[in-house]
């Protein structure tokens, strides 16, 4: 069985990369001509749907509320798989600039695109961190939403959450933009972090109601962080109660 799951992984990774290669000239065009940036929304959607369709994974989405396409949000999601970025593109109906580790910018093929379309996080460097905050707030003020995985890295013990870091909440409060929790319910079963195989199971995504940050200050971060953790975790408990007993 493991042999076939490894073959499935090879197929899945190949489709993930193939979709990116096919669309790469269009991503490059957007990078070279910034006025075309809104097209990135459609390119990301195509890439995400291509990936999941080609690995024969059904997609099940639930939106607690319809969000305004004229508003900008800070989307925060749990993080357990390399497939989490395309997964979020399937449920978020606007172009999202992601915060990601600087190491992503060095990845073959994907790296050049990521560092030119998204924002790299250089942990442990206060000056770079403040620069990242400024870039993020600038993106929000210029009409783009932000995507953050506040666990900081792929969780190795899903579905239980790791502690969330403060970055997303600092940005949302400083920009006075709503936070929207997103629960990626099942990517940890499809392609678990560091596991050398791919498993078939439906992808489940839940987009929760936005949480206003209007009038909040940095002193409110602990309560805001706890609230988003509880919202995301409540959905995970709903599907995996045995993991929390």
């Amino acid at each position: 069985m493991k042999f076939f799951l490894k073959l499935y992984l090879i197929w899945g990774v190949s489709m993930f990369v193939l979709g990116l290669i096919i669309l790469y000239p269009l991503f490059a065009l957007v990078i070279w001509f910034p006025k075309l940036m809104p097209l990135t929304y459609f390119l990301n959607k195509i890439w995400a749907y291509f990936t999941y369709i080609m690995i024969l994974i059904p997609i099940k989405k639930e939106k607690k509320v319809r969000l305004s396409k004229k508003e900008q949000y800070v989307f925060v999601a749990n993080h357990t798989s390399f497939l989490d970025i395309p997964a979020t593109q399937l449920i978020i109906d606007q172009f999202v600039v992601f915060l990601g580790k600087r190491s992503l910018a060095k990845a073959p093929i994907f790296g050049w695109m990521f560092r030119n379309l998204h924002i790299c996080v250089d942990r442990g460097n206060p000056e770079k961190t403040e620069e990242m905050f400024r870039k993020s707030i600038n993106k929000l003020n210029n009409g783009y939403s932000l995507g953050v995985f506040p666990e900081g890295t792929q969780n190795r013990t899903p579905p239980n959450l790791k502690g969330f870091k403060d970055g997303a909440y600092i940005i949302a409060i400083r920009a006075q933009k709503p936070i929207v929790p997103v629960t990626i319910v099942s990517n940890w079963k499809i392609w678990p972090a560091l596991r050398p195989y791919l498993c078939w199971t439906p992808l489940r995504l839940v987009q929760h109601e936005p949480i206003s940050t209007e009038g909040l200050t940095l002193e409110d971060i602990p309560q805001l962080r706890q609230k988003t953790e509880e919202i995301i975790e409540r959905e995970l408990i709903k599907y995996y109660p045995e993991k929390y007993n």
Side-chain angles (χ1 to χ4, degrees):
M1 177 59 75
K2 286 187 177 181
F3 173 75
F4 292 106
L5 293 179
K6 287 182 179 180
L7 285 181
Y8 189 25
L9 174 62
I10 292 171
W11 171 258
V13 172
S14 298
M15 293 302 100
F16 180 89
V17 174
L18 177 61
L20 179 58
I21 291 173
I22 291 171
L23 295 171
Y24 207 78
L26 296 177
F27 278 115
L29 198 63
V30 168
I31 291 169
W32 291 331
F33 300 98
K35 289 185 178 180
L36 299 176
M37 191 65 74
L39 291 177
T40 310
Y41 165 80
F42 299 102
L43 297 179
N44 285 335
K45 287 280 189 187
I46 293 169
W47 181 28
Y49 274 108
F50 177 85
T51 299
Y52 278 95
I53 288 172
M54 293 304 292
I55 61 176
L56 308 177
I57 298 291
I59 301 162
K60 300 185 178 183
K61 300 182 287 185
E62 179 184 354
K63 296 183 180 182
K64 302 291 187 181
V65 67
R66 186 178 296 275
L67 300 179
S68 171
K69 292 187 178 181
K70 296 180 180 180
E71 177 66 87
Q72 293 75 52
Y73 305 92
V74 177
F75 293 91
V76 297
N78 54 312
H79 190 24
T80 61
S81 172
F82 287 110
L83 292 173
D84 287 339
I85 287 181
T88 55
Q89 308 284 355
L90 297 173
I91 196 166
I92 298 173
D93 289 328
Q94 47 189 270
F95 175 47
V96 175
V97 173
F98 282 93
L99 266 60
K101 296 183 296 184
R102 184 161 295 277
S103 58
L104 288 174
K106 301 177 182 178
I109 303 176
F110 181 77
W112 180 78
M113 184 189 77
F114 186 87
R115 66 176 176 268
N116 281 283
L117 291 176
H118 303 283
I119 298 172
C120 295
V121 178
D122 193 349
R123 299 190 184 105
N125 186 326
E127 290 184 4
K128 292 291 185 180
T129 299
E130 180 56 34
E131 180 183 350
M132 177 271 292
F133 287 148
R134 289 196 300 269
K135 285 182 179 179
S136 300
I137 293 168
N138 185 57
K139 289 291 185 183
L140 287 165
N141 290 336
N142 281 281
Y144 302 104
S145 287
L146 209 65
V148 186
F149 298 111
E151 289 170 290
T153 188
Q154 289 181 22
N155 185 355
R156 308 292 193 245
T157 58
N160 299 274
L161 298 177
K162 288 175 59 180
F164 282 10
K165 299 182 185 301
D166 290 345
Y169 308 100
I170 293 172
I171 293 166
I173 289 173
R174 285 174 58 173
Q176 291 289 279
K177 298 295 183 181
I179 284 181
V180 179
V182 174
T183 305
I184 306 174
V185 177
S186 56
N187 258 350
W188 71 276
K189 294 183 76 70
I190 298 170
W191 189 6
L194 298 182
R195 298 292 178 85
Y197 55 79
L198 200 68
C199 294
W200 187 95
T201 192
L203 172 67
R204 294 184 182 274
L205 302 162
V206 181
Q207 179 182 284
H208 302 277
E209 296 181 1
I211 303 170
S212 175
T213 62
E214 188 174 350
L216 298 185
T217 69
L218 297 183
E219 293 181 356
D220 297 303
I221 286 175
Q223 292 83 4
L224 188 60
R225 184 180 62 236
Q226 181 180 357
K227 185 173 184 178
T228 58
E229 286 182 4
E230 289 175 350
I231 290 171
I232 291 172
E233 192 166 53
R234 194 178 304 128
E235 203 68 32
L236 293 170
I237 293 171
K238 173 181 171 183
Y239 286 97
Y240 309 111
E242 72 283 356
K243 297 290 184 179
Y244 288 87
N245 291 332

